[in-house]
Amino acid sequence: MAFDRIFVLGAGAIGSAFGALLSRKFDVTLFGNKQHVETVKLHGLELSGDVDGVFYPEAELEINSLPPNTLLIVTTKVHRTFAALNSIKHLMHNELTILLLQNGLGNKEIARKAVGDKPNILRGITSAAAEFFQPGKVRFWFGKTLIENGFRSNEIAEMFNSCGLKTEISKDIKTEIWRKLVVNCVINPLTAIFCVKNFEIASDELKSVRHAIVDECLKVAEAEGVHLSKDLAEMIDSVLGNYTNYSSMCQDVMKGKPTEIDFINGKVVELGRKHGIPTPINQVLVNFIKFIESHGHEFCRKN
Ligand code: KPL
């Protein structure tokens, strides 16, 4: 049995793209910022990139009710999770499923604290990429989505796959979250610092930096009981060239918005400290991004 409706909370780049594609077959409402919502209501949502077309999901500013059998996909930035979910805590019930489709580590714990134990909460990750620079318009690149194995995960995967969003259930989501975290630890801060597209940091000059980041992450993951493949750095090198988008962190910096650094490299530093593992490269990246955040978007003048 599929869900009766899908709500997307935090409809920015990824959320809007997923919502648009899911609206091919399902009743979807996007919840996002005013300009975006107004544009989608008037003109629909225009996707370009791997998909070209205009889609017509519903769009609203606020969630006022959560009907039974709703799938709530959360694609807010990870630092917005608690506030966004806590503000609708009074609407929660046990016929609600929440899918957290975000970057970062520790998201499910944050969501659980925000909403209590009534809803079913599932974690997902995606390697799909999206850019959002103008209300109502999103550029999208397909990727694979993984959802933790849990109550109603299969139904979500079927719904996603039926709309062209390649999705699988993961029996070991913790390892997958860490693998994605390491990818983000390399791509997101470097692209944001240099203000370049993902493939541009594949350059040889940055190879030793990329590998040093991964090396620290692998040691911390191991201490957390997560065994990632030793050739992850080479794997990242080999996929980097395929990403012709600006990472989400680079987009945040371009827009002068806070980034997810505390939940990406910042988490590796925090856990490294807990286990007595030095993480100087990740620490430097955190410091650089914090410096950029505190100076607004003067660093990135491309937009
Ligand atoms: O997760 C991403 C992000 O930008 O945050 C990737 C997959 C690296 C795409 O850019």
Side-chain angles (χ1 to χ4, degrees):
M1 190 186 72
F3 289 86
D4 291 334
R5 71 197 59 68
I6 300 172
F7 284 1
V8 181
L9 179 62
I14 276 289
S16 298
F18 272 60
L21 292 171
L22 289 165
S23 75
R24 280 171 164 165
K25 292 203 168 176
F26 304 103
D27 175 350
V28 176
T29 309
L30 305 181
F31 295 87
N33 74 40
K34 193 160 181 283
Q35 269 190 313
H36 187 48
V37 164
E38 278 169 7
T39 311
V40 173
K41 270 179 188 279
L42 281 175
H43 306 291
L45 192 128
E46 199 180 311
L47 279 192
S48 59
D50 284 350
V51 184
D52 259 310
V54 181
F55 297 80
Y56 297 92
E58 304 278 316
E60 297 295 339
L61 286 174
E62 273 173 30
I63 297 183
N64 296 315
S65 76
L66 285 166
N69 205 27
T70 297
L71 170 64
L72 177 67
I73 305 177
V74 178
T75 52
T76 60
K77 295 288 169 189
V78 57
H79 48 269
R80 294 268 316 128
T81 311
F82 186 84
L85 285 175
N86 200 245
S87 69
I88 50 169
K89 185 180 180 179
H90 58 289
L91 304 174
M92 297 288 156
H93 51 78
N94 47 23
E95 271 188 77
L96 177 74
T97 291
I98 300 177
L99 173 66
L100 303 168
L101 203 54
Q102 301 167 301
N103 286 334
L105 207 61
N107 313 33
K108 206 168 161 179
E109 292 71 18
I110 297 172
R112 187 55 83 197
K113 263 194 208 139
V115 298
D117 26 279
K118 282 186 194 147
N120 173 36
I121 306 183
L122 297 166
R123 178 69 204 267
I125 46 165
T126 187
S127 64
E131 286 175 357
F132 178 24
F133 289 117
Q134 235 184 302
K137 291 189 202 296
V138 171
R139 190 139 190 246
F140 179 70
W141 291 261
F142 280 116
K144 191 162 83 177
T145 299
L146 293 173
I147 300 177
E148 81 170 282
N149 191 14
F151 180 57
R152 305 196 73 178
S153 311
N154 280 314
E155 288 164 62
I156 303 174
E158 269 171 35
M159 289 170 86
F160 279 27
N161 281 313
S162 76
C163 292
L165 291 161
K166 192 174 174 221
T167 304
E168 288 170 16
I169 306 294
S170 167
K171 291 209 174 69
D172 186 4
I173 197 74
K174 190 173 176 193
T175 304
E176 297 301 343
I177 291 170
W178 261 98
R179 201 191 316 276
K180 173 82 200 287
L181 181 84
V182 181
V183 171
N184 288 131
C185 279
V186 175
I187 296 181
N188 293 28
L190 291 179
T191 52
I193 290 162
F194 299 119
C195 205
V196 293
K197 293 184 175 183
N198 295 3
F199 75 89
E200 295 179 78
I201 59 145
S203 89
D204 274 350
E205 292 93 332
L206 292 175
K207 187 171 175 183
S208 61
V209 179
R210 294 192 305 269
H211 285 222
I213 299 168
V214 176
D215 196 46
E216 289 180 9
C217 291
L218 291 184
K219 288 185 182 130
V220 177
E222 200 67 32
E224 284 285 298
V226 176
H227 313 294
L228 296 168
S229 48
K230 299 278 172 284
D231 60 357
L232 191 52
E234 286 74 21
M235 188 285 279
I236 293 172
D237 286 351
S238 71
V239 298
L240 264 179
N242 305 332
Y243 278 108
T244 54
N245 63 297
Y246 287 110
S247 76
S248 55
M249 193 173 287
C250 185
Q251 292 177 57
D252 287 337
V253 164
M254 284 171 166
K255 296 172 195 164
K257 287 186 167 178
T259 73
E260 298 184 311
I261 194 73
D262 286 338
F263 294 87
I264 298 180
N265 307 74
K267 275 284 162 200
V268 174
V269 172
E270 183 188 315
L271 294 170
R273 207 170 286 137
K274 178 177 118 189
H275 295 291
I277 299 167
T279 54
I281 311 285
N282 280 280
Q283 180 67 71
V284 165
L285 295 174
V286 172
N287 294 351
F288 282 9
I289 295 294
K290 295 267 178 200
F291 180 78
I292 291 175
E293 281 180 346
S294 68
H295 282 68
H297 52 165
E298 283 139 44
F299 282 89
C300 234
R301 292 182 185 274
K302 287 201 174 141
N303 266 283

